[in-house]
Short mmCIF file of all heavy atoms in Angstrom, two decimals:
data_model
loop_
_atom_site.label_atom_id
_atom_site.label_comp_id
_atom_site.label_asym_id
_atom_site.label_seq_id
_atom_site.Cartn_x
_atom_site.Cartn_y
_atom_site.Cartn_z
N SER A 46 -4.89 36.23 -20.70
CA SER A 46 -4.03 37.37 -21.00
C SER A 46 -4.76 38.44 -21.80
O SER A 46 -5.49 38.12 -22.74
CB SER A 46 -2.79 36.91 -21.79
OG SER A 46 -2.02 36.00 -21.05
N LYS A 47 -4.55 39.68 -21.42
CA LYS A 47 -5.06 40.80 -22.21
C LYS A 47 -3.98 41.33 -23.15
O LYS A 47 -4.27 41.79 -24.25
CB LYS A 47 -5.55 41.92 -21.28
CG LYS A 47 -6.79 41.56 -20.47
CD LYS A 47 -7.27 42.74 -19.65
CE LYS A 47 -8.54 42.39 -18.87
NZ LYS A 47 -9.02 43.53 -18.06
N ASN A 48 -2.74 41.29 -22.68
CA ASN A 48 -1.62 41.81 -23.47
C ASN A 48 -0.62 40.70 -23.76
O ASN A 48 -0.59 39.67 -23.08
CB ASN A 48 -0.92 42.94 -22.70
CG ASN A 48 -1.85 44.10 -22.41
OD1 ASN A 48 -2.56 44.57 -23.29
ND2 ASN A 48 -1.87 44.55 -21.16
N TRP A 49 0.22 40.92 -24.76
CA TRP A 49 1.28 39.96 -25.08
C TRP A 49 2.31 39.96 -23.97
O TRP A 49 2.68 41.00 -23.44
CB TRP A 49 1.95 40.33 -26.41
CG TRP A 49 1.04 40.19 -27.59
CD1 TRP A 49 0.44 41.20 -28.29
CD2 TRP A 49 0.60 38.97 -28.20
NE1 TRP A 49 -0.34 40.70 -29.29
CE2 TRP A 49 -0.26 39.33 -29.28
CE3 TRP A 49 0.85 37.62 -27.95
CZ2 TRP A 49 -0.85 38.37 -30.09
CZ3 TRP A 49 0.26 36.67 -28.76
CH2 TRP A 49 -0.58 37.05 -29.82
N GLU A 50 2.81 38.76 -23.64
CA GLU A 50 3.82 38.59 -22.60
C GLU A 50 5.07 37.97 -23.22
O GLU A 50 4.98 37.11 -24.10
CB GLU A 50 3.30 37.68 -21.49
CG GLU A 50 2.03 38.19 -20.83
CD GLU A 50 1.51 37.24 -19.75
OE1 GLU A 50 2.36 36.54 -19.13
OE2 GLU A 50 0.29 37.19 -19.53
N LEU A 51 6.26 38.41 -22.74
CA LEU A 51 7.51 37.83 -23.21
C LEU A 51 7.63 36.39 -22.70
O LEU A 51 7.32 36.11 -21.55
CB LEU A 51 8.70 38.65 -22.73
CG LEU A 51 8.81 40.07 -23.30
CD1 LEU A 51 9.92 40.83 -22.62
CD2 LEU A 51 9.05 40.02 -24.81
N PHE A 52 8.08 35.51 -23.58
CA PHE A 52 8.19 34.09 -23.23
C PHE A 52 9.68 33.72 -23.24
O PHE A 52 10.30 33.65 -24.29
CB PHE A 52 7.41 33.25 -24.25
CG PHE A 52 7.28 31.80 -23.90
CD1 PHE A 52 6.38 31.39 -22.93
CD2 PHE A 52 8.06 30.84 -24.53
CE1 PHE A 52 6.24 30.04 -22.61
CE2 PHE A 52 7.93 29.49 -24.22
CZ PHE A 52 7.03 29.09 -23.26
N TYR A 53 10.24 33.49 -22.07
CA TYR A 53 11.68 33.27 -21.94
C TYR A 53 12.08 31.80 -22.07
O TYR A 53 13.26 31.48 -22.06
CB TYR A 53 12.17 33.81 -20.59
CG TYR A 53 12.18 35.31 -20.51
CD1 TYR A 53 11.05 36.02 -20.08
CD2 TYR A 53 13.31 36.04 -20.86
CE1 TYR A 53 11.06 37.41 -20.01
CE2 TYR A 53 13.33 37.42 -20.79
CZ TYR A 53 12.20 38.10 -20.37
OH TYR A 53 12.21 39.47 -20.30
N SER A 54 11.11 30.91 -22.16
CA SER A 54 11.39 29.47 -22.22
C SER A 54 11.47 28.98 -23.66
O SER A 54 11.35 29.76 -24.59
CB SER A 54 10.30 28.70 -21.47
OG SER A 54 10.75 28.33 -20.20
N GLN A 55 11.64 27.67 -23.79
CA GLN A 55 11.54 26.99 -25.07
C GLN A 55 10.33 26.05 -25.01
O GLN A 55 9.92 25.62 -23.94
CB GLN A 55 12.80 26.16 -25.35
CG GLN A 55 14.10 26.91 -25.17
CD GLN A 55 14.29 28.04 -26.16
OE1 GLN A 55 13.69 28.02 -27.23
NE2 GLN A 55 15.10 29.02 -25.81
N ILE A 56 9.79 25.71 -26.17
CA ILE A 56 8.70 24.73 -26.26
C ILE A 56 9.23 23.54 -27.04
O ILE A 56 9.46 23.63 -28.24
CB ILE A 56 7.46 25.31 -26.94
CG1 ILE A 56 6.96 26.55 -26.20
CG2 ILE A 56 6.35 24.26 -27.02
CD1 ILE A 56 5.83 27.29 -26.90
N ALA A 57 9.51 22.46 -26.33
CA ALA A 57 10.08 21.27 -26.98
C ALA A 57 9.14 20.77 -28.07
O ALA A 57 7.93 20.66 -27.87
CB ALA A 57 10.31 20.17 -25.94
N GLY A 58 9.72 20.50 -29.25
CA GLY A 58 8.94 19.98 -30.37
C GLY A 58 8.30 21.04 -31.24
O GLY A 58 7.69 20.71 -32.25
N PHE A 59 8.48 22.32 -30.87
CA PHE A 59 7.87 23.41 -31.64
C PHE A 59 8.95 24.22 -32.34
O PHE A 59 9.92 24.67 -31.72
CB PHE A 59 7.06 24.32 -30.72
CG PHE A 59 6.55 25.58 -31.39
CD1 PHE A 59 5.72 25.51 -32.49
CD2 PHE A 59 6.92 26.84 -30.91
CE1 PHE A 59 5.25 26.66 -33.11
CE2 PHE A 59 6.46 27.99 -31.52
CZ PHE A 59 5.62 27.91 -32.62
N THR A 60 8.79 24.42 -33.65
CA THR A 60 9.70 25.27 -34.42
C THR A 60 8.97 26.54 -34.82
O THR A 60 7.99 26.49 -35.57
CB THR A 60 10.20 24.54 -35.68
OG1 THR A 60 10.89 23.34 -35.28
CG2 THR A 60 11.17 25.42 -36.46
N TYR A 61 9.44 27.65 -34.29
CA TYR A 61 8.80 28.94 -34.55
C TYR A 61 9.25 29.50 -35.90
O TYR A 61 10.44 29.45 -36.23
CB TYR A 61 9.19 29.92 -33.44
CG TYR A 61 8.75 31.34 -33.69
CD1 TYR A 61 7.45 31.75 -33.42
CD2 TYR A 61 9.65 32.29 -34.20
CE1 TYR A 61 7.05 33.05 -33.64
CE2 TYR A 61 9.25 33.59 -34.42
CZ TYR A 61 7.95 33.97 -34.14
OH TYR A 61 7.56 35.26 -34.37
N LYS A 62 8.31 30.03 -36.66
CA LYS A 62 8.64 30.70 -37.91
C LYS A 62 7.99 32.08 -37.89
O LYS A 62 6.76 32.18 -37.74
CB LYS A 62 8.14 29.91 -39.11
CG LYS A 62 8.55 30.53 -40.45
CD LYS A 62 8.15 29.65 -41.62
CE LYS A 62 8.57 30.27 -42.96
NZ LYS A 62 8.19 29.43 -44.11
N PRO A 63 8.78 33.16 -37.98
CA PRO A 63 8.20 34.50 -37.94
C PRO A 63 7.23 34.72 -39.10
O PRO A 63 7.38 34.14 -40.17
CB PRO A 63 9.41 35.43 -38.04
CG PRO A 63 10.50 34.59 -38.60
CD PRO A 63 10.24 33.19 -38.16
N GLY A 64 6.23 35.56 -38.85
CA GLY A 64 5.24 35.84 -39.87
C GLY A 64 3.97 35.03 -39.70
O GLY A 64 2.99 35.25 -40.42
#
Side-chain angles (χ1 to χ4, degrees):
S46 298
K47 292 184 178 180
N48 300 312
W49 294 105
E50 302 178 30
L51 294 173
F52 188 77
Y53 288 89
S54 259
Q55 310 295 337
I56 302 173
F59 172 59
T60 300
Y61 172 82
K62 184 175 181 180

